[in-house]
Amino acid sequence: QVQLVESGGGLVQAGGSMRLSCAASGRTFSFYSMGWFRQAPGKERDFVAGISWNRVSTYYADSVKGRFTISRDNAKGAVYLQMNSLKPEDTAVYYCGATKYAITTHPQYDYWGQGTQVTVSS
């Protein structure tokens, strides 16, 4: 079992930065691939970024490449999403997910957090 809790969301102006955190509990966390997804009202949950269990591989959606950075600290049981140059279209609820398999852009993860709202004003 892995429990996930996101934090760090809020309101920011366009062009600003924000760092999301995902705190994970469970002794097997370090063996899970982790992903960040986002969901805007009336839309599907979309992949944002993913990182392998050993931090060797990272993947990003084209819309966030060069602006967002995913990282993890297995010792602390945490995953982070650094978001720079934020745009109004980045507004969404952001979720972190854990999967025991390789990173996937499909929201078929084993565990999810409750989400944190990110709002970017123009």
Side-chain angles (χ1 to χ4, degrees), residues 47-112:
F47 174 80
V48 175
I51 187 167
S52 60
W53 68 273
N54 57 4
R55 299 176 294 179
V56 170
S57 301
T58 57
Y59 297 93
Y60 296 92
D62 289 342
S63 59
V64 306
K65 278 181 183 176
R67 300 189 298 123
F68 290 12
T69 302
I70 188 171
S71 61
R72 67 188 295 166
D73 185 331
N74 287 341
K76 293 184 178 180
V79 181
Y80 307 100
L81 186 67
Q82 177 67 42
M83 305 185 294
N84 299 327
S85 302
L86 282 161
K87 305 175 181 180
E89 50 263 43
D90 294 318
T91 295
V93 177
Y94 283 69
Y95 298 89
C96 68
T99 176
K100 61 176 74 74
Y101 303 109
I103 301 168
T104 174
T105 60
H106 297 285
Q108 295 171 351
Y109 282 52
D110 300 298
Y111 303 101
W112 293 98

